[in-house]
Amino acid sequence: MDHGALVLSWGDFRRARPDLADAGRGLLYQFGVGLAFLATVRKDGGPRVHPMCPLIVDDRLLGFIVPSPKCEDLRRDGRYAMHAFPPERDEDAFYLTGTVAEATDTGLRQRAAAVFFEERHWTEPPLGFDEQRLFEFRVATCLLTRTSGHGDHAPRHVTWRCDAAQLERRPPVM
């Protein structure tokens, strides 16, 4: 689904802004597994927000999404916003926007599932796992906020937006 936004894969985003991608990965994985809030666009145009578990596999930001209205939002519209869970120690934040593509490659799904199970120390998939859809989250914008603790009156914000020059600098896909 093309909404006109310029987007990069997680790997290309990391090559463009390793400082933001590395800090973001740290915030997404601060609890040992990926945890974030995912906002999607409902059929009526309104927002829908739920927790989810992002994965970074093969230089891609991925997520398994259960059959649900949220999954249908992503399949129908494709726009998303993702926000890392808030840390306990401060008010640091990591936020992304972009578009998704359903990932149908069987090999990628198997690698993503292996990472998902390994992170949770699972030896087999939970009931219904095979019905979940795998999506790749492509990055259009990013906001990283750093604070000195709760109540910081001078948070430091770094924003980034994908532009045409970054798309042109991507290495060719082999």
Side-chain angles (χ1 to χ4, degrees):
M1 178 138 322
D2 182 13
H3 286 279
L6 301 176
V7 294
L8 295 177
S9 69
W10 180 265
D12 288 334
F13 167 58
R14 188 172 187 285
R15 283 182 277 285
R17 288 300 304 263
D19 57 328
L20 295 176
D22 290 348
R25 183 185 182 115
L27 286 166
L28 289 171
Y29 277 87
Q30 66 186 302
F31 298 105
V33 299
L35 292 173
F37 292 102
L38 177 64
T40 60
V41 181
R42 295 186 323 231
K43 192 183 281 189
D44 68 2
R48 186 186 318 272
V49 179
H50 293 281
M52 58 91 64
C53 298
L55 295 165
I56 299 175
V57 176
D58 293 354
D59 265 353
R60 296 177 181 189
L61 180 60
L62 303 169
F64 286 102
I65 306 295
V66 299
S68 62
K70 174 176 48 181
C71 183
E72 292 309 310
D73 291 346
L74 292 172
R75 294 177 91 190
R76 184 191 69 262
D77 185 285
R79 292 177 290 170
Y80 79 91
M82 185 183 298
H83 195 292
F85 274 34
E88 293 180 22
R89 68 188 178 280
D90 54 39
E91 295 179 30
D92 286 6
F94 182 67
Y95 167 81
L96 298 169
T97 67
T99 58
V100 299
E102 194 163 347
T104 58
D105 177 84
T106 304
L108 176 61
R109 183 182 178 86
Q110 290 172 343
R111 290 187 302 280
V115 169
F116 190 80
F117 300 159
E118 182 180 317
E119 287 179 359
R120 287 152 183 78
H121 310 289
W122 294 350
T123 56
E124 58 187 51
L127 188 63
F129 185 79
D130 290 341
E131 285 102 50
Q132 294 185 28
R133 303 289 186 176
L134 182 63
F135 289 92
E136 179 178 2
F137 295 85
R138 297 177 179 152
V139 181
T141 67
C142 169
L143 169 67
L144 175 67
T145 299
R146 292 297 198 186
T147 63
S148 61
H150 291 286
D152 185 345
H153 295 291
R156 293 159 315 285
H157 304 287
V158 178
T159 58
W160 172 88
R161 178 175 303 277
C162 182
D163 63 30
Q166 289 155 339
L167 291 175
E168 292 168 9
R169 288 192 299 266
R170 286 186 302 185
V173 176
M174 300 291 174

